[in-house]
């Protein structure tokens, strides 16, 4: 058990716990009205899903880019700037792990199949990220 005031280590985290966190984030997306806030909450939900399936990392990145684009629609390029920042800050081990994932839309099982992440802005974001890896 971690000390009070300290975050639990990865080893102390469980898949079930991460899935519960994902459900909390998904509920948060239902109660906010701002499209950018909804996308940010969905990003958090996808990030917590990485514990049970690594492909959710791309979903989290895509939703974060969508949130950035929605937060400053007049700035133009908010999503592109977020993706550039993400790519710049990837460690080589994470970059290598992401390269192991199937290309978006090529695997019918999992989050990178033909579902929500493969279409629209989310699909565009994931394709940009995968192409840059």
């Amino acid at each position: 058990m971690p000390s009070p005031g300290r975050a639990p280590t990865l080893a102390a985290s469980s898949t079930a716990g991460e899935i519960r966190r994902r459900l909390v984030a998904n509920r948060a997306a239902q109660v906010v009205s701002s499209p950018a806030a909804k996308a940010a909450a969905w990003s958090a939900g996808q990030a917590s899903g990485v514990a049970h399936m690594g492909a959710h990392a791309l979903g989290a990145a895509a939703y974060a880019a969508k949130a950035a684009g929605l937060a400053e629609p007049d700035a133009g390029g908010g999503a592109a700037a977020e993706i550039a920042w993400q790519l710049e800050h990837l460690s080589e081990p994470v970059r290598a792990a992401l390269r192991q994932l199937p290309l978006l839309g090529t695997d019918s099982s999992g989050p990178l199949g033909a579902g929500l992440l493969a279409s629209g802005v989310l699909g565009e974001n994931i394709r940009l990220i995968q192409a840059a890896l």
Side-chain angles (χ1 to χ4, degrees):
M1 187 78 177
S3 303
R6 298 188 88 196
T9 64
L10 225 36
S13 189
S14 70
T15 300
E18 294 308 315
I19 291 171
R20 282 192 296 279
R21 285 176 194 69
R22 182 174 185 201
L23 295 175
V24 169
N26 291 345
R27 281 194 298 270
Q30 302 305 313
V31 298
V32 295
S33 59
S34 159
K38 283 185 181 295
W42 287 115
S43 177
Q46 288 285 317
S48 64
V50 172
H52 89 99
M53 189 173 291
H56 285 295
L58 291 171
Y63 272 110
K66 180 177 180 177
L70 290 169
E72 296 187 50
D74 296 333
E82 172 64 20
I83 290 171
W85 184 92
Q86 291 173 15
L87 291 167
E88 180 182 329
H89 289 86
L90 283 178
S91 68
E92 190 48 44
V94 170
R95 190 178 294 273
L98 291 175
R99 278 191 217 112
Q100 299 291 320
L101 296 173
L103 291 177
L104 185 64
T106 63
D107 183 2
S108 62
S109 64
L112 297 178
L116 179 64
L117 293 179
S119 62
V121 170
L122 298 173
E124 289 174 32
N125 292 344
I126 292 173
R127 285 181 188 88
L128 288 171
I129 293 166
Q130 286 190 310
L133 291 172

